[in-house]
Amino acid sequence: MNDMWKQLFAETLLKTSVRAVARQSISPKIMRTLANNASYLLPHHSTDLEIEQLTLGELQAEKISPKDHANKTILYFHGGGFFLGSLNTHRAIVEAIAQRTQLPVIHVDYPLAPEATFPETSEAIYESYCALVDSGTAPHNIILAGDDAGANLALTLMLRLIRQDAEQPCGLILLSPFLDLTLTSDSVRYNQKLDALLSPEFLQKASDLYAPQPAQDVADPRISPLFAEDFSQLPPTFVQVGSKSLLLDDATRFKQKANDDDVKLTYKLYTGMWHNFMLFNAWFDEGKQALQDLASFTAQFKTEEE
């Protein structure tokens, strides 16, 4: 099967399964079970990788490492709209990132909504980061990364460290980032028939579960980091997004603000790709290219003095 047919098959499968299910009024618990089961369809890249179980603060984590690697570490937060996702659902992409970048990736299993909401989740993320630093990993050797809601958590963590005038991680990776929980990005509407994975209903559910109103203001930059006033102190940052993604404009709006603040930004738009397409990297060339682009971005940190 050539890549065009693989892409068409993948889009059709996702639209008729994952996206269709996500539009229904199904409990987060059931959706987590479905997502976990679906993750076993994704090929794994465990050859020449070592997997170690960790505890960071009160959170469980996995460290997936190439046998020979540089002294940098990617601290990764999975996506899932704040209420889905686990070490299982994202193990394949984390393995692929570790293998392609030849960097160890620490994948954090953070608490999910509605059992945990803002600020409990972001606080747990912060404590896990502090635990990693306290264990001996210097901030300048850490690259923060995440997809979807995990990208939101990575960016909000970085902005918190900047506000605290703390030593910063050396880089930031945002994959299909979910940065505006007010859902005011135009692409939430104009891409709703094109995105194979997301629906507006799913995004609204994610926003409601993570930051219940009226108790929370979803425009708070600690919840929707797109609304932060100043990005000028961000480290080198890498953004990937597909042209069919409902969250395309979350990424493009961030790009504009980051460029205005002179952030060293690498922005990659993948034509014809949907939300979080890089999770399906084994199926077609665009996914493989996304991983190669990510590896090219991280290569700059390997050349720095450690």
Side-chain angles (χ1 to χ4, degrees):
M1 186 184 296
N2 64 35
D3 282 342
M4 182 184 72
W5 287 107
K6 285 180 182 178
Q7 180 178 335
L8 180 61
F9 174 76
E11 285 193 82
T12 302
L13 176 64
L14 292 170
K15 284 182 178 179
T16 57
S17 57
V18 177
R19 191 179 73 171
V21 169
R23 299 182 70 173
Q24 306 303 314
S25 298
I26 300 174
S27 73
K29 184 176 181 179
I30 293 175
M31 292 183 71
R32 290 170 194 166
T33 299
L34 294 173
N36 187 68
N37 291 338
S39 69
Y40 291 111
L41 298 174
L42 299 174
H44 285 246
H45 306 261
S46 56
T47 304
D48 297 325
L49 295 176
E50 298 175 348
I51 300 179
E52 177 186 359
Q53 304 302 314
L54 301 177
T55 300
L56 293 177
E58 296 184 355
L59 302 185
Q60 297 301 305
E62 285 184 347
K63 184 176 183 179
I64 300 177
S65 308
K67 291 182 179 179
D68 297 309
H69 54 77
N71 195 32
K72 303 296 184 191
T73 298
I74 298 174
L75 184 61
Y76 192 90
F77 308 112
H78 65 74
F82 301 99
F83 68 96
L84 299 178
S86 66
L87 298 181
N88 287 337
T89 62
H90 283 65
R91 186 173 289 113
I93 183 63
V94 171
E95 289 177 352
I97 291 171
Q99 188 175 65
R100 191 60 63 93
T101 64
Q102 287 297 291
L103 291 176
V105 183
I106 297 178
H107 182 199
V108 179
D109 195 17
Y110 59 86
L112 301 176
E115 294 85 353
T117 59
F118 176 83
E120 182 180 351
T121 301
S122 59
E123 190 65 28
I125 291 289
Y126 174 73
E127 294 296 335
S128 71
Y129 168 81
C130 292
L132 178 60
V133 173
D134 290 344
S135 72
T137 302
H140 66 264
N141 282 330
I142 298 173
I143 303 166
L144 297 184
D147 66 274
D148 182 74
N152 177 306
L153 294 169
L155 177 56
T156 53
L157 172 58
M158 186 70 78
L159 292 171
R160 176 173 180 172
L161 295 172
I162 291 171
R163 290 195 304 271
Q164 294 177 347
D165 199 25
E167 185 180 356
Q168 292 179 41
C170 64
L172 178 64
I173 296 170
L174 308 177
L175 309 180
S176 293
F178 184 16
L179 304 180
D180 176 11
L181 272 67
T182 70
L183 307 185
T184 52
S185 284
D186 288 340
S187 56
V188 173
R189 283 157 287 283
Y190 68 68
N191 269 347
Q192 63 179 298
K193 292 184 178 180
L194 300 177
D195 196 319
L197 199 65
L198 283 184
S199 67
E201 294 88 349
F202 179 90
L203 293 178
Q204 188 63 63
K205 185 173 187 176
S207 179
D208 292 343
L209 290 176
Y210 179 61
Q213 299 183 59
Q216 302 293 347
D217 175 10
V218 291
D220 185 328
R222 298 173 300 166
I223 296 172
S224 296
L226 186 63
F227 299 124
E229 293 184 1
D230 184 8
F231 290 145
S232 63
Q233 296 185 61
L234 289 179
T237 299
F238 182 57
V239 177
Q240 287 185 338
V241 69
S243 65
K244 292 182 178 179
S245 173
L246 260 69
L247 297 178
L248 170 61
D249 285 350
D250 279 32
T252 57
R253 291 160 69 196
F254 173 80
K255 173 190 174 184
Q256 183 61 57
K257 295 186 68 172
N259 285 337
D260 290 345
D261 287 341
D262 295 322
V263 176
K264 185 179 179 182
L265 179 71
T266 302
Y267 176 90
K268 294 287 186 176
L269 174 67
Y270 299 85
T271 302
M273 292 292 101
W274 55 88
H275 178 71
N276 261 12
F277 71 95
M278 62 288 297
L279 270 66
F280 310 95
N281 59 84
W283 294 357
F284 36 81
D285 285 344
E286 288 83 355
K288 296 181 180 70
Q289 184 61 53
L291 283 178
Q292 184 55 53
D293 292 339
L294 195 157
S296 297
F297 172 78
T298 60
Q300 65 183 294
F301 304 112
K302 297 179 184 179
T303 62
E304 298 173 353
E305 182 179 355
E306 300 182 355

PDB file of all heavy atoms in Angstrom, residues 132-164:
ATOM      1  N   LEU A 132      12.861  16.076  39.348  1.00  0.00           N
ATOM      2  CA  LEU A 132      13.884  15.694  38.377  1.00  0.00           C
ATOM      3  C   LEU A 132      15.148  16.523  38.580  1.00  0.00           C
ATOM      4  O   LEU A 132      16.265  15.987  38.565  1.00  0.00           O
ATOM      5  CB  LEU A 132      13.345  15.887  36.952  1.00  0.00           C
ATOM      6  CG  LEU A 132      14.322  15.569  35.812  1.00  0.00           C
ATOM      7  CD1 LEU A 132      14.772  14.112  35.869  1.00  0.00           C
ATOM      8  CD2 LEU A 132      13.681  15.884  34.463  1.00  0.00           C
ATOM      9  N   VAL A 133      14.983  17.814  38.790  1.00  0.00           N
ATOM     10  CA  VAL A 133      16.137  18.685  39.032  1.00  0.00           C
ATOM     11  C   VAL A 133      16.830  18.302  40.343  1.00  0.00           C
ATOM     12  O   VAL A 133      18.064  18.215  40.413  1.00  0.00           O
ATOM     13  CB  VAL A 133      15.702  20.161  39.043  1.00  0.00           C
ATOM     14  CG1 VAL A 133      16.856  21.066  39.473  1.00  0.00           C
ATOM     15  CG2 VAL A 133      15.192  20.574  37.667  1.00  0.00           C
ATOM     16  N   ASP A 134      16.037  18.055  41.380  1.00  0.00           N
ATOM     17  CA  ASP A 134      16.605  17.682  42.676  1.00  0.00           C
ATOM     18  C   ASP A 134      17.369  16.360  42.605  1.00  0.00           C
ATOM     19  O   ASP A 134      18.281  16.114  43.403  1.00  0.00           O
ATOM     20  CB  ASP A 134      15.510  17.584  43.735  1.00  0.00           C
ATOM     21  CG  ASP A 134      14.924  18.944  44.108  1.00  0.00           C
ATOM     22  OD1 ASP A 134      15.567  19.966  43.788  1.00  0.00           O
ATOM     23  OD2 ASP A 134      13.824  18.973  44.688  1.00  0.00           O
ATOM     24  N   SER A 135      16.996  15.502  41.650  1.00  0.00           N
ATOM     25  CA  SER A 135      17.666  14.211  41.512  1.00  0.00           C
ATOM     26  C   SER A 135      19.022  14.334  40.834  1.00  0.00           C
ATOM     27  O   SER A 135      19.773  13.351  40.746  1.00  0.00           O
ATOM     28  CB  SER A 135      16.783  13.232  40.729  1.00  0.00           C
ATOM     29  OG  SER A 135      16.738  13.584  39.347  1.00  0.00           O
ATOM     30  N   GLY A 136      19.340  15.521  40.325  1.00  0.00           N
ATOM     31  CA  GLY A 136      20.654  15.735  39.745  1.00  0.00           C
ATOM     32  C   GLY A 136      20.674  16.130  38.283  1.00  0.00           C
ATOM     33  O   GLY A 136      21.747  16.366  37.720  1.00  0.00           O
ATOM     34  N   THR A 137      19.518  16.208  37.631  1.00  0.00           N
ATOM     35  CA  THR A 137      19.465  16.636  36.232  1.00  0.00           C
ATOM     36  C   THR A 137      19.362  18.161  36.185  1.00  0.00           C
ATOM     37  O   THR A 137      18.368  18.731  36.623  1.00  0.00           O
ATOM     38  CB  THR A 137      18.266  16.013  35.500  1.00  0.00           C
ATOM     39  OG1 THR A 137      18.359  14.589  35.572  1.00  0.00           O
ATOM     40  CG2 THR A 137      18.247  16.433  34.044  1.00  0.00           C
ATOM     41  N   ALA A 138      20.392  18.808  35.679  1.00  0.00           N
ATOM     42  CA  ALA A 138      20.421  20.271  35.650  1.00  0.00           C
ATOM     43  C   ALA A 138      19.386  20.809  34.671  1.00  0.00           C
ATOM     44  O   ALA A 138      19.159  20.212  33.607  1.00  0.00           O
ATOM     45  CB  ALA A 138      21.808  20.758  35.250  1.00  0.00           C
ATOM     46  N   PRO A 139      18.734  21.931  35.002  1.00  0.00           N
ATOM     47  CA  PRO A 139      17.743  22.508  34.081  1.00  0.00           C
ATOM     48  C   PRO A 139      18.275  22.723  32.670  1.00  0.00           C
ATOM     49  O   PRO A 139      17.545  22.506  31.696  1.00  0.00           O
ATOM     50  CB  PRO A 139      17.378  23.838  34.761  1.00  0.00           C
ATOM     51  CG  PRO A 139      17.586  23.568  36.220  1.00  0.00           C
ATOM     52  CD  PRO A 139      18.796  22.672  36.284  1.00  0.00           C
ATOM     53  N   HIS A 140      19.558  23.137  32.535  1.00  0.00           N
ATOM     54  CA  HIS A 140      20.086  23.401  31.195  1.00  0.00           C
ATOM     55  C   HIS A 140      20.274  22.122  30.389  1.00  0.00           C
ATOM     56  O   HIS A 140      20.610  22.194  29.195  1.00  0.00           O
ATOM     57  CB  HIS A 140      21.392  24.199  31.260  1.00  0.00           C
ATOM     58  CG  HIS A 140      22.523  23.453  31.896  1.00  0.00           C
ATOM     59  ND1 HIS A 140      22.848  23.601  33.231  1.00  0.00           N
ATOM     60  CD2 HIS A 140      23.401  22.553  31.403  1.00  0.00           C
ATOM     61  CE1 HIS A 140      23.889  22.825  33.517  1.00  0.00           C
ATOM     62  NE2 HIS A 140      24.239  22.180  32.416  1.00  0.00           N
ATOM     63  N   ASN A 141      20.060  20.972  31.008  1.00  0.00           N
ATOM     64  CA  ASN A 141      20.108  19.702  30.287  1.00  0.00           C
ATOM     65  C   ASN A 141      18.719  19.115  30.038  1.00  0.00           C
ATOM     66  O   ASN A 141      18.608  17.956  29.615  1.00  0.00           O
ATOM     67  CB  ASN A 141      20.960  18.686  31.047  1.00  0.00           C
ATOM     68  CG  ASN A 141      22.443  18.931  30.868  1.00  0.00           C
ATOM     69  OD1 ASN A 141      22.869  19.436  29.831  1.00  0.00           O
ATOM     70  ND2 ASN A 141      23.230  18.597  31.866  1.00  0.00           N
ATOM     71  N   ILE A 142      17.661  19.902  30.280  1.00  0.00           N
ATOM     72  CA  ILE A 142      16.283  19.436  30.121  1.00  0.00           C
ATOM     73  C   ILE A 142      15.617  20.164  28.955  1.00  0.00           C
ATOM     74  O   ILE A 142      15.721  21.382  28.833  1.00  0.00           O
ATOM     75  CB  ILE A 142      15.466  19.663  31.405  1.00  0.00           C
ATOM     76  CG1 ILE A 142      16.059  18.878  32.579  1.00  0.00           C
ATOM     77  CG2 ILE A 142      13.997  19.268  31.199  1.00  0.00           C
ATOM     78  CD1 ILE A 142      15.414  19.180  33.916  1.00  0.00           C
ATOM     79  N   ILE A 143      14.931  19.402  28.114  1.00  0.00           N
ATOM     80  CA  ILE A 143      14.081  19.947  27.061  1.00  0.00           C
ATOM     81  C   ILE A 143      12.646  19.584  27.415  1.00  0.00           C
ATOM     82  O   ILE A 143      12.314  18.404  27.538  1.00  0.00           O
ATOM     83  CB  ILE A 143      14.443  19.357  25.684  1.00  0.00           C
ATOM     84  CG1 ILE A 143      15.911  19.607  25.348  1.00  0.00           C
ATOM     85  CG2 ILE A 143      13.517  19.925  24.598  1.00  0.00           C
ATOM     86  CD1 ILE A 143      16.413  18.781  24.173  1.00  0.00           C
ATOM     87  N   LEU A 144      11.786  20.570  27.611  1.00  0.00           N
ATOM     88  CA  LEU A 144      10.379  20.309  27.902  1.00  0.00           C
ATOM     89  C   LEU A 144       9.635  20.036  26.601  1.00  0.00           C
ATOM     90  O   LEU A 144       9.856  20.709  25.588  1.00  0.00           O
ATOM     91  CB  LEU A 144       9.738  21.498  28.613  1.00  0.00           C
ATOM     92  CG  LEU A 144      10.278  21.873  29.988  1.00  0.00           C
ATOM     93  CD1 LEU A 144       9.445  23.015  30.579  1.00  0.00           C
ATOM     94  CD2 LEU A 144      10.281  20.685  30.934  1.00  0.00           C
ATOM     95  N   ALA A 145       8.737  19.048  26.633  1.00  0.00           N
ATOM     96  CA  ALA A 145       8.023  18.673  25.412  1.00  0.00           C
ATOM     97  C   ALA A 145       6.654  18.111  25.748  1.00  0.00           C
ATOM     98  O   ALA A 145       6.414  17.616  26.858  1.00  0.00           O
ATOM     99  CB  ALA A 145       8.830  17.631  24.620  1.00  0.00           C
ATOM    100  N   GLY A 146       5.758  18.178  24.767  1.00  0.00           N
ATOM    101  CA  GLY A 146       4.436  17.578  24.940  1.00  0.00           C
ATOM    102  C   GLY A 146       3.609  17.739  23.680  1.00  0.00           C
ATOM    103  O   GLY A 146       3.934  18.553  22.796  1.00  0.00           O
ATOM    104  N   ASP A 147       2.553  16.941  23.576  1.00  0.00           N
ATOM    105  CA  ASP A 147       1.609  17.067  22.472  1.00  0.00           C
ATOM    106  C   ASP A 147       0.241  17.432  23.026  1.00  0.00           C
ATOM    107  O   ASP A 147      -0.095  17.091  24.159  1.00  0.00           O
ATOM    108  CB  ASP A 147       1.524  15.751  21.687  1.00  0.00           C
ATOM    109  CG  ASP A 147       0.923  14.612  22.498  1.00  0.00           C
ATOM    110  OD1 ASP A 147       1.667  13.939  23.233  1.00  0.00           O
ATOM    111  OD2 ASP A 147      -0.311  14.404  22.422  1.00  0.00           O
ATOM    112  N   ASP A 148      -0.542  18.189  22.227  1.00  0.00           N
ATOM    113  CA  ASP A 148      -1.919  18.513  22.600  1.00  0.00           C
ATOM    114  C   ASP A 148      -1.951  19.185  23.979  1.00  0.00           C
ATOM    115  O   ASP A 148      -1.292  20.200  24.186  1.00  0.00           O
ATOM    116  CB  ASP A 148      -2.754  17.225  22.546  1.00  0.00           C
ATOM    117  CG  ASP A 148      -4.220  17.418  22.875  1.00  0.00           C
ATOM    118  OD1 ASP A 148      -4.944  17.957  22.030  1.00  0.00           O
ATOM    119  OD2 ASP A 148      -4.640  17.033  23.976  1.00  0.00           O
ATOM    120  N   ALA A 149      -2.691  18.631  24.926  1.00  0.00           N
ATOM    121  CA  ALA A 149      -2.735  19.199  26.272  1.00  0.00           C
ATOM    122  C   ALA A 149      -1.377  19.143  26.961  1.00  0.00           C
ATOM    123  O   ALA A 149      -1.044  20.002  27.782  1.00  0.00           O
ATOM    124  CB  ALA A 149      -3.773  18.460  27.118  1.00  0.00           C
ATOM    125  N   GLY A 150      -0.583  18.132  26.625  1.00  0.00           N
ATOM    126  CA  GLY A 150       0.759  18.041  27.188  1.00  0.00           C
ATOM    127  C   GLY A 150       1.646  19.194  26.748  1.00  0.00           C
ATOM    128  O   GLY A 150       2.516  19.643  27.504  1.00  0.00           O
ATOM    129  N   ALA A 151       1.444  19.694  25.526  1.00  0.00           N
ATOM    130  CA  ALA A 151       2.167  20.871  25.068  1.00  0.00           C
ATOM    131  C   ALA A 151       1.754  22.091  25.875  1.00  0.00           C
ATOM    132  O   ALA A 151       2.578  22.956  26.200  1.00  0.00           O
ATOM    133  CB  ALA A 151       1.910  21.095  23.579  1.00  0.00           C
ATOM    134  N   ASN A 152       0.451  22.195  26.189  1.00  0.00           N
ATOM    135  CA  ASN A 152      -0.037  23.262  27.065  1.00  0.00           C
ATOM    136  C   ASN A 152       0.691  23.212  28.407  1.00  0.00           C
ATOM    137  O   ASN A 152       1.199  24.231  28.900  1.00  0.00           O
ATOM    138  CB  ASN A 152      -1.546  23.078  27.260  1.00  0.00           C
ATOM    139  CG  ASN A 152      -2.171  24.085  28.209  1.00  0.00           C
ATOM    140  OD1 ASN A 152      -1.742  24.245  29.337  1.00  0.00           O
ATOM    141  ND2 ASN A 152      -3.250  24.734  27.767  1.00  0.00           N
ATOM    142  N   LEU A 153       0.783  22.023  28.999  1.00  0.00           N
ATOM    143  CA  LEU A 153       1.416  21.880  30.310  1.00  0.00           C
ATOM    144  C   LEU A 153       2.909  22.180  30.253  1.00  0.00           C
ATOM    145  O   LEU A 153       3.480  22.749  31.188  1.00  0.00           O
ATOM    146  CB  LEU A 153       1.166  20.470  30.840  1.00  0.00           C
ATOM    147  CG  LEU A 153      -0.305  20.147  31.149  1.00  0.00           C
ATOM    148  CD1 LEU A 153      -0.478  18.653  31.413  1.00  0.00           C
ATOM    149  CD2 LEU A 153      -0.803  20.964  32.335  1.00  0.00           C
ATOM    150  N   ALA A 154       3.555  21.804  29.139  1.00  0.00           N
ATOM    151  CA  ALA A 154       4.974  22.106  28.980  1.00  0.00           C
ATOM    152  C   ALA A 154       5.209  23.611  28.898  1.00  0.00           C
ATOM    153  O   ALA A 154       6.131  24.153  29.528  1.00  0.00           O
ATOM    154  CB  ALA A 154       5.527  21.406  27.746  1.00  0.00           C
ATOM    155  N   LEU A 155       4.382  24.305  28.119  1.00  0.00           N
ATOM    156  CA  LEU A 155       4.530  25.756  27.972  1.00  0.00           C
ATOM    157  C   LEU A 155       4.198  26.474  29.267  1.00  0.00           C
ATOM    158  O   LEU A 155       4.918  27.405  29.670  1.00  0.00           O
ATOM    159  CB  LEU A 155       3.650  26.259  26.830  1.00  0.00           C
ATOM    160  CG  LEU A 155       3.649  27.778  26.600  1.00  0.00           C
ATOM    161  CD1 LEU A 155       5.048  28.309  26.363  1.00  0.00           C
ATOM    162  CD2 LEU A 155       2.732  28.125  25.416  1.00  0.00           C
ATOM    163  N   THR A 156       3.124  26.076  29.953  1.00  0.00           N
ATOM    164  CA  THR A 156       2.775  26.747  31.207  1.00  0.00           C
ATOM    165  C   THR A 156       3.852  26.518  32.264  1.00  0.00           C
ATOM    166  O   THR A 156       4.132  27.412  33.076  1.00  0.00           O
ATOM    167  CB  THR A 156       1.405  26.285  31.730  1.00  0.00           C
ATOM    168  OG1 THR A 156       1.367  24.860  31.821  1.00  0.00           O
ATOM    169  CG2 THR A 156       0.286  26.751  30.823  1.00  0.00           C
ATOM    170  N   LEU A 157       4.460  25.331  32.272  1.00  0.00           N
ATOM    171  CA  LEU A 157       5.565  25.084  33.195  1.00  0.00           C
ATOM    172  C   LEU A 157       6.738  26.005  32.876  1.00  0.00           C
ATOM    173  O   LEU A 157       7.330  26.615  33.781  1.00  0.00           O
ATOM    174  CB  LEU A 157       5.998  23.622  33.123  1.00  0.00           C
ATOM    175  CG  LEU A 157       7.276  23.247  33.882  1.00  0.00           C
ATOM    176  CD1 LEU A 157       7.160  23.592  35.370  1.00  0.00           C
ATOM    177  CD2 LEU A 157       7.599  21.771  33.688  1.00  0.00           C
ATOM    178  N   MET A 158       7.094  26.124  31.599  1.00  0.00           N
ATOM    179  CA  MET A 158       8.198  26.996  31.219  1.00  0.00           C
ATOM    180  C   MET A 158       7.918  28.438  31.616  1.00  0.00           C
ATOM    181  O   MET A 158       8.797  29.130  32.165  1.00  0.00           O
ATOM    182  CB  MET A 158       8.426  26.908  29.714  1.00  0.00           C
ATOM    183  CG  MET A 158       9.653  27.672  29.229  1.00  0.00           C
ATOM    184  SD  MET A 158      11.216  26.933  29.730  1.00  0.00           S
ATOM    185  CE  MET A 158      11.321  25.581  28.548  1.00  0.00           C
ATOM    186  N   LEU A 159       6.700  28.911  31.389  1.00  0.00           N
ATOM    187  CA  LEU A 159       6.351  30.290  31.745  1.00  0.00           C
ATOM    188  C   LEU A 159       6.381  30.491  33.261  1.00  0.00           C
ATOM    189  O   LEU A 159       6.767  31.561  33.741  1.00  0.00           O
ATOM    190  CB  LEU A 159       4.977  30.639  31.182  1.00  0.00           C
ATOM    191  CG  LEU A 159       4.911  30.733  29.646  1.00  0.00           C
ATOM    192  CD1 LEU A 159       3.461  30.876  29.189  1.00  0.00           C
ATOM    193  CD2 LEU A 159       5.754  31.891  29.126  1.00  0.00           C
ATOM    194  N   ARG A 160       6.010  29.478  34.020  1.00  0.00           N
ATOM    195  CA  ARG A 160       6.080  29.577  35.479  1.00  0.00           C
ATOM    196  C   ARG A 160       7.536  29.701  35.938  1.00  0.00           C
ATOM    197  O   ARG A 160       7.843  30.525  36.813  1.00  0.00           O
ATOM    198  CB  ARG A 160       5.432  28.350  36.122  1.00  0.00           C
ATOM    199  CG  ARG A 160       5.552  28.336  37.651  1.00  0.00           C
ATOM    200  CD  ARG A 160       4.762  27.193  38.257  1.00  0.00           C
ATOM    201  NE  ARG A 160       4.880  27.184  39.717  1.00  0.00           N
ATOM    202  CZ  ARG A 160       4.173  26.397  40.523  1.00  0.00           C
ATOM    203  NH1 ARG A 160       3.290  25.552  40.011  1.00  0.00           N
ATOM    204  NH2 ARG A 160       4.324  26.457  41.833  1.00  0.00           N
ATOM    205  N   LEU A 161       8.408  28.928  35.367  1.00  0.00           N
ATOM    206  CA  LEU A 161       9.828  29.001  35.734  1.00  0.00           C
ATOM    207  C   LEU A 161      10.396  30.376  35.392  1.00  0.00           C
ATOM    208  O   LEU A 161      11.210  30.927  36.147  1.00  0.00           O
ATOM    209  CB  LEU A 161      10.605  27.906  35.016  1.00  0.00           C
ATOM    210  CG  LEU A 161      10.231  26.470  35.409  1.00  0.00           C
ATOM    211  CD1 LEU A 161      10.938  25.473  34.493  1.00  0.00           C
ATOM    212  CD2 LEU A 161      10.563  26.193  36.866  1.00  0.00           C
ATOM    213  N   ILE A 162       9.947  30.951  34.273  1.00  0.00           N
ATOM    214  CA  ILE A 162      10.386  32.293  33.902  1.00  0.00           C
ATOM    215  C   ILE A 162       9.887  33.309  34.918  1.00  0.00           C
ATOM    216  O   ILE A 162      10.637  34.199  35.361  1.00  0.00           O
ATOM    217  CB  ILE A 162       9.904  32.634  32.480  1.00  0.00           C
ATOM    218  CG1 ILE A 162      10.643  31.771  31.449  1.00  0.00           C
ATOM    219  CG2 ILE A 162      10.092  34.126  32.184  1.00  0.00           C
ATOM    220  CD1 ILE A 162      10.087  31.873  30.045  1.00  0.00           C
ATOM    221  N   ARG A 163       8.614  33.198  35.316  1.00  0.00           N
ATOM    222  CA  ARG A 163       8.062  34.138  36.307  1.00  0.00           C
ATOM    223  C   ARG A 163       8.816  34.049  37.628  1.00  0.00           C
ATOM    224  O   ARG A 163       8.988  35.054  38.333  1.00  0.00           O
ATOM    225  CB  ARG A 163       6.573  33.849  36.549  1.00  0.00           C
ATOM    226  CG  ARG A 163       5.660  34.196  35.389  1.00  0.00           C
ATOM    227  CD  ARG A 163       4.198  34.222  35.828  1.00  0.00           C
ATOM    228  NE  ARG A 163       3.767  32.982  36.428  1.00  0.00           N
ATOM    229  CZ  ARG A 163       3.249  31.953  35.753  1.00  0.00           C
ATOM    230  NH1 ARG A 163       3.150  32.027  34.435  1.00  0.00           N
ATOM    231  NH2 ARG A 163       2.845  30.857  36.382  1.00  0.00           N
ATOM    232  N   GLN A 164       9.254  32.853  37.975  1.00  0.00           N
ATOM    233  CA  GLN A 164       9.973  32.644  39.231  1.00  0.00           C
ATOM    234  C   GLN A 164      11.449  32.998  39.117  1.00  0.00           C
ATOM    235  O   GLN A 164      12.184  32.892  40.093  1.00  0.00           O
ATOM    236  CB  GLN A 164       9.819  31.191  39.679  1.00  0.00           C
ATOM    237  CG  GLN A 164       8.395  30.811  40.047  1.00  0.00           C
ATOM    238  CD  GLN A 164       8.257  29.338  40.420  1.00  0.00           C
ATOM    239  OE1 GLN A 164       9.161  28.543  40.184  1.00  0.00           O
ATOM    240  NE2 GLN A 164       7.137  28.986  41.007  1.00  0.00           N
TER     241      GLN A 164
END
